[in-house]
Amino acid sequence: MGALQTEIERRGERIFDLVDRHPESLFSKAGFYQRMMALSMRDEHFKVQLFRFVDVLASLHRGTDIVQHLDEYFADMRNGYAPLIRTFARGARIVPWISGQLLRWNVSGMARQFIAGRNPKDVMKMLRKRRSQGIGFTVDLLGEAVVSEQEANEYASRCLELLDHLGRETRGWTDPLGKNTELFPVVNLSVKISALYSQMNPADPADSIIHLAPKLRPILRRARDLGAFVNFDMEGYAHKNATLELFRTLFTETEFRDWPHVGIVIQAYLRDAENDLLDLLDWGRARGTRFAVRLVKGAYWDFEKIKSRQNGWACPVFLQKPESDLNFELLTRILLENESTITAAFGSHNVRSIAHAQALAEQLGIDRTRFEFQLLYGMAGPVKRALVEMGYRVREYCPVGELLPGMSYLVRRLLENTSNEGFLRAKFSEKVSEDELLRNPADLISQGPNGARHVEVSSDGASLDTPAGDTYENAPLVNFVYEQNQDRMQEALARVRPQLGQKYPLVINGERVWTDKTIASINPSSPDDVVGHVAEAGIPEAERAVKAARDAFEKWSRTSFETRCRLLERAADIMHRRRFELSALEVFEVGKAWAEADGDIREAMDFCRFYAHQMRLIGRPRLTQHVLGEESYQHYWPRGVAMIIAPWNFPMAILCGMTTAALVTGNTVIMKPAEQSAVIGAMLMEIFEEAGVPPGVLNYLPGKGSVMGAHLVDHKDIDLIAFTGSREVGLRIWESAGKTREGQRELKRVICEMGGKNAVIIDADADLDEAIVDTIYSAFGYQGQKCSACSRLIILEEIYPRAIERLLNAAASLRVGNPEEPGITVGPVIDRTAHKRILEYIDIGKNESRLAFQRADVPQKGFFIPPTIFTSVSPKTRIACEEIFGPVLSVMKARDLDEAFEIANSTEFALTAGFFSRSPANIERAKAEIVAGNVYVNRSCTGAVVGRHPFGGFKMSGGGTKAGGADYLLQFVVPRVVTENITRHGFAPETTPLYRDEFLGPR
């Protein structure tokens, strides 16, 4: 055992000895809270339900609602407390106004376990008490979720007010240790950076700094005048890089360059924490003035893990707690070895981590008064007392605020307290031995229950881990948190721009075909810029394409499904290689913002790989039943020549999805992209040619839908039509396909996906932080030009005033502009026709309803429509019933949930819908009663992921098919059963294989 480990154990034992002299439960408040936490640690289901109940309680105002939610959350409990809970719930219904307030009082007490005060005046009582105990403070204003600039400005004002109050009330206070006090001002404020700007976007840290710096400078000036300290808190990983860059930018400015009383947080659970700290150290040396670093483990572990798994990203946090503990010790060494530049604050309740910092500081000859320990208010009281008694500086992290904005903080603390791997639980609840608690974390990693897990990470933040075997997995989204990805997108835009204006031919039977007419695709952000000139197909070219596809069908339909699957996978690989280039083209041609463009390319890759995976599942003939003496195999044949008609709003994904479904099932294809996105269609053709599609199997045929498109829809040799677009065109195709033409061999199959008039309902108990952000994105993301976009918002009467206020303020804060700029949410609509039509609908809305909000500062050049919100909208008005396909939102008020569902279900469409609620019973009602093909609960109603959210509607939204679903390929094939009598003279095999080889005929 090394000398350092020996000293760590000695100091740890000393801390434990002091802790045990003043025994205390894990939780400094007993009673209700302690019992609930104890039960949570024994029953995971109870823990989940308890935390959800705590989360919703602050938004409930009536005793009946509180009791109702209690019953809904705990009715299905099966533990020993279940009879008691049910008995209480039954009794509570008799006098709900009393029992509801009792529950609120108890849960408020739970919150006060971790929240030091409701306001600056309230918190001073606690700060004075802590001062008498030799403990300092850093105060944090709760309320990190801001949805608008008004809320962000209010947070900035509260920071200034808090500083003034603390400065006034602590006048004359001195540091408890009386040594090296110049490093540790009495007044210490922690600032949440995300609460100061509602439009922070990881793709555009420069914009964040431009907006954050002016709000922070007055706070910093006031703090400096008061002799206070300001610390930049670190939150989710998405904002880490912007926060670091903001810190470096502000404190390099001449005004603040020589001010030492500033600090920032480093989170040890992050894999790149060491690099961040070393970069800060280099910056600090160049700056020439001390600064502080608060080293913590990190409080967003669950969130980061969930987010990264959903998006296919490498998890930015270590997956085992000992890994974070070990990294904490590594970073502790870096901090202490550079004590001349950095003032260290160690934020941990883990006695091993604390003892390590103490022992290492002594080994390096650093006086114990030159660093401090920071611990959370309401936790680890005995550890704080022990450290004070040992002569160390202790500072308590003290959140201040009301219960409602403090819920996310409270839930994080509850998760930390009840974590299976948490130190406090191990020491104070489970009584784990001191020897075990003081072990070197390096020894624990290899001995963890699941073993150490190394996660491969690519340089752009995508996970390189893949599951074993033939398993479909979505492509990761590009993570624009990483500077490398921001640079690659900027480079792609710069590379694509000079290529705009090129000419693109038709491709028929593998040959380039030019025509006398071309279609000019223009940049909707800058209509003077032509993205490309695409050859326009007419009737002769259409006939030629049909013949090429018909001639190619015989061989392609008899090509093995494995060969067809590999074609799709090669195409996906090419898209991945050209990903940023294709995204940049979408920015120019259809006005998509960075993340929206990348999402479209990701979806196209997913369609290729998912349909290849699905084809392998259905490609081999399968035994229908095992019957002795007979074998019957069902398999699928392609239908013939498929006509693919795609929209411009998902120009690569939808075109690729319908095309690949047809190709992989053995059909030949005539591919007609929308005129507005014909260049992207040309790129898809180019990709499939590089992937090796045979001549005639895929034909690229852009042209006028009213001429060439209509001719092909009626053509006797078109066997299948896959269409996504407007209801008007879709119904014409549906009608036309039902007519049998002379010489027609097959009944035409139509796969028809049309529009929507999608509703989102906000229930009375909804989390408005989530509901407003997701509704704004659903309504105004990509300018409302998604068939899944929210165009009707239905708010329950009880929550309407607060919800509508936050909604309007959030809309006013949106970033509107040219999507070439990173971080833009609202860009241009697709073309002049759409621009004119949407403005006409806005004029209609002004006559039918109340114009509550319309953005004024939109660019004059380009087809920009101001985000617009109407209130007092009747469900029967035109703007509430007709598809507008633009950034226009109609808001309706509902008396109760019955009326909300009635309004939501009242249109002719049934595509998507959203529902925000924290009532389990109401959520189940929504799942059962909302009439839509895709119902989303407590999330945005856009952004379907292939395989995860099979997408499509019914009624006037479509024929009930689900793109990206397991049964989608069945729309492109006909089923066939082959039965053979295998009995010979009374003898038959005992077994028959479940699958057999394809029926391909002679090679």
Side-chain angles (χ1 to χ4, degrees), residues 100 142-143 179 206 241 263 362 386 526 541 666 799-801 823 829 834 842 884 899 965 974 980 990-991:
L142 291 170
K179 187 177 180 183
N241 291 340
E362 182 173 271
S526 179
E541 291 76 29
I799 203 173
Y800 185 88
V829 297
I842 290 174
I884 300 173
E899 186 180 27
V974 290
E980 180 185 356
E990 288 292 330
T991 60

Side-chain angles (χ1 to χ4, degrees), residues 728-975:
E728 178 187 6
V729 175
L731 292 180
R732 282 206 303 267
I733 291 173
W734 198 278
E735 179 183 13
S736 176
K739 298 175 182 177
T740 304
R741 267 72 184 186
E742 184 178 350
Q744 182 174 325
R745 294 182 295 272
E746 300 279 348
L747 295 175
K748 278 189 171 70
R749 175 66 167 165
V750 177
I751 303 158
C752 198
E753 298 293 341
M754 299 181 288
K757 193 66 181 174
N758 311 301
V760 168
I761 299 171
I762 299 181
D763 198 2
D765 67 347
D767 182 340
L768 286 183
D769 290 345
E770 290 183 352
I772 298 302
V773 169
D774 287 341
T775 299
I776 287 288
Y777 174 72
S778 298
F780 301 116
Y782 191 43
Q783 300 77 267
Q785 296 179 123
K786 302 177 186 179
C787 51
S788 57
C790 169
S791 56
R792 296 181 298 147
L793 177 61
I794 305 161
I795 306 175
L796 271 289
E797 189 173 56
E798 182 179 335
I799 203 173
Y800 185 88
R802 179 62 178 144
I804 198 68
E805 178 189 4
R806 298 192 74 189
L807 178 80
L808 298 179
N809 288 333
S813 305
L814 284 169
R815 291 187 65 193
V816 180
N818 189 325
E820 292 177 51
E821 301 174 26
I824 290 294
T825 300
V826 182
V829 297
I830 189 64
D831 59 18
R832 193 177 307 280
T833 301
H835 188 266
K836 180 175 181 292
R837 186 191 71 251
I838 297 167
L839 288 179
E840 288 172 354
Y841 267 111
I842 290 174
D843 287 338
I844 291 169
K846 291 176 181 177
N847 293 322
E848 292 181 333
S849 309
R850 175 179 172 269
L851 178 63
F853 170 78
Q854 187 169 51
R855 188 68 171 262
D857 56 335
V858 299
Q860 295 304 303
K861 183 180 181 181
F863 303 125
F864 289 90
I865 295 284
T868 303
I869 298 175
F870 290 101
T871 56
S872 303
V873 178
S874 167
K876 301 298 183 183
T877 57
R878 289 184 63 186
I879 61 167
C881 296
E882 298 176 13
E883 189 175 28
I884 300 173
F885 225 61
V888 181
L889 180 64
S890 298
V891 183
M892 289 159 270
K893 186 192 301 183
R895 293 186 305 275
D896 52 32
L897 213 52
D898 290 337
E899 186 180 27
F901 287 157
E902 181 182 349
I903 295 170
N905 296 336
S906 64
T907 73
E908 296 178 329
F909 299 96
L911 188 52
T912 71
F915 185 66
F916 287 90
S917 177
R918 287 180 286 188
S919 162
N922 290 351
I923 288 172
E924 288 305 307
R925 276 196 67 188
K927 290 175 181 178
E929 297 180 29
I930 292 179
V931 179
N934 288 68
V935 177
Y936 297 100
V937 178
N938 290 327
R939 53 150 287 171
S940 66
C941 66
T942 67
V945 176
V946 172
R948 194 181 307 170
H949 314 122
F951 187 80
F954 49 95
K955 291 171 68 175
M956 288 297 120
S957 290
T961 51
K962 285 289 188 184
D967 58 356
Y968 188 66
L969 294 187
L970 299 181
Q971 315 301 320
F972 293 79
V973 294
V974 290

Side-chain angles (χ1 to χ4, degrees), residues 53-329:
F53 178 68
V54 168
D55 177 57
V56 71
L57 184 63
S59 66
L60 304 176
H61 303 293
R62 293 192 299 264
T64 50
D65 292 335
I66 295 173
V67 172
Q68 180 64 34
H69 280 72
L70 175 76
D71 186 48
E72 291 176 18
Y73 278 108
F74 296 103
D76 63 344
M77 286 292 108
R78 296 293 181 266
N79 56 42
Y81 284 78
L84 179 63
I85 293 171
R86 284 194 286 270
T87 300
F88 176 81
R90 283 195 297 270
R93 291 193 193 96
I94 301 172
V95 282
W97 58 92
I98 297 176
S99 49
Q101 291 308 310
L102 179 64
L103 280 168
R104 181 185 292 278
W105 181 78
N106 272 300
V107 174
S108 295
M110 184 187 299
R112 298 306 160 199
Q113 163 87 9
F114 304 109
I115 299 174
R118 293 178 176 84
N119 50 53
K121 182 179 180 181
D122 189 31
V123 78
M124 284 309 305
K125 304 171 191 173
M126 188 279 302
L127 297 185
R128 292 188 182 96
K129 180 179 179 181
R130 290 295 185 268
R131 183 191 178 213
S132 69
Q133 298 167 346
I135 297 173
F137 66 84
T138 180
V139 177
D140 159 53
L141 278 176
L142 291 170
E144 60 207 69
V146 297
V147 304
S148 67
E149 285 309 277
Q150 177 173 317
E151 293 178 11
N153 292 335
E154 289 171 358
Y155 179 84
S157 297
R158 288 169 56 214
C159 286
L160 286 168
E161 292 169 6
L162 178 60
L163 272 174
D164 286 337
H165 187 83
L166 292 173
R168 185 169 57 251
E169 294 296 320
T170 61
R171 191 173 293 120
W173 288 22
T174 56
D175 180 84
L177 295 187
K179 187 177 180 183
N180 289 311
T181 58
E182 72 282 359
L183 302 179
F184 304 97
V186 170
V187 175
N188 189 306
L189 175 70
S190 291
V191 178
K192 283 186 168 55
I193 301 305
S194 68
L196 288 165
Y197 183 39
S198 65
Q199 303 300 302
M200 285 188 75
N201 187 311
D204 197 358
D207 171 78
S208 296
I209 292 169
I210 287 170
H211 287 84
L212 286 164
K215 294 179 182 178
L216 276 162
R217 288 188 188 103
I219 297 171
L220 299 176
R221 291 176 188 129
R222 188 67 184 128
R224 188 182 55 190
D225 292 344
L226 291 169
F229 182 99
V230 174
N231 195 81
F232 284 20
D233 270 352
M234 194 65 72
E235 302 167 81
Y237 189 73
H239 298 321
K240 173 188 69 91
N241 291 340
T243 303
L244 287 165
E245 187 57 33
L246 174 69
F247 183 81
R248 289 189 287 257
T249 298
L250 275 171
F251 298 114
T252 306
E253 294 177 356
T254 304
E255 183 177 4
F256 303 115
R257 189 183 184 99
D258 61 351
W259 185 31
H261 297 147
V262 294
I264 193 167
V265 171
I266 290 290
Q267 298 162 310
Y269 70 180
L270 293 180
R271 298 175 187 276
D272 49 11
E274 181 181 2
N275 288 336
D276 289 338
L277 181 55
L278 293 175
D279 287 345
L280 276 174
L281 186 58
D282 289 342
W283 167 82
R285 291 193 187 106
R287 177 177 179 247
T289 305
R290 290 184 74 90
F291 68 101
V293 167
R294 177 197 295 155
L295 181 62
V296 302
K297 301 288 173 66
Y300 298 83
W301 186 86
D302 295 274
F303 172 81
E304 301 294 0
K305 184 178 71 169
I306 292 167
K307 192 74 174 176
S308 60
R309 285 185 179 176
Q310 286 180 346
N311 292 323
W313 296 335
C315 191
V317 298
F318 291 112
L319 297 179
Q320 290 191 55
K321 184 180 182 300
E323 292 177 290
S324 298
D325 292 339
L326 184 62
N327 200 40
F328 190 94
E329 295 188 4

Side-chain angles (χ1 to χ4, degrees), residues 579-702:
R579 184 169 189 166
F580 287 92
E581 170 202 347
L582 295 170
S583 293
L585 180 58
E586 290 205 6
V587 171
F588 289 119
E589 189 168 30
V590 296
K592 279 188 179 279
W594 286 19
E596 297 282 353
D598 175 72
D600 191 54
I601 306 306
R602 181 260 196 130
E603 188 174 357
M605 292 190 292
D606 279 352
F607 277 132
C608 290
R609 294 183 177 127
F610 179 75
Y611 289 150
H613 175 70
Q614 291 298 309
M615 191 62 212
R616 289 189 175 106
L617 297 179
I618 68 170
R620 297 172 66 197
R622 192 181 195 280
L623 191 69
T624 57
Q625 287 185 355
H626 182 69
V627 177
L628 196 62
E630 180 181 279
E631 61 178 27
S632 289
Y633 284 94
Q634 178 170 325
H635 73 126
Y636 300 98
W637 267 357
R639 290 182 175 272
V641 177
M643 172 70 176
I644 305 299
I645 307 172
W648 48 262
N649 61 333
F650 289 90
M652 182 65 79
I654 295 180
L655 181 65
C656 180
M658 295 190 294
T659 298
T660 52
L663 289 174
V664 80
T665 48
N667 301 281
T668 53
V669 174
I670 298 171
M671 182 173 73
K672 181 196 173 301
E675 297 159 39
Q676 299 92 330
S677 57
V679 175
I680 293 167
M683 293 301 102
L684 182 61
M685 185 70 220
E686 191 176 284
I687 286 166
F688 270 100
E689 287 185 305
E690 182 181 342
V693 69
V697 171
L698 177 61
N699 304 275
Y700 170 65
L701 208 69

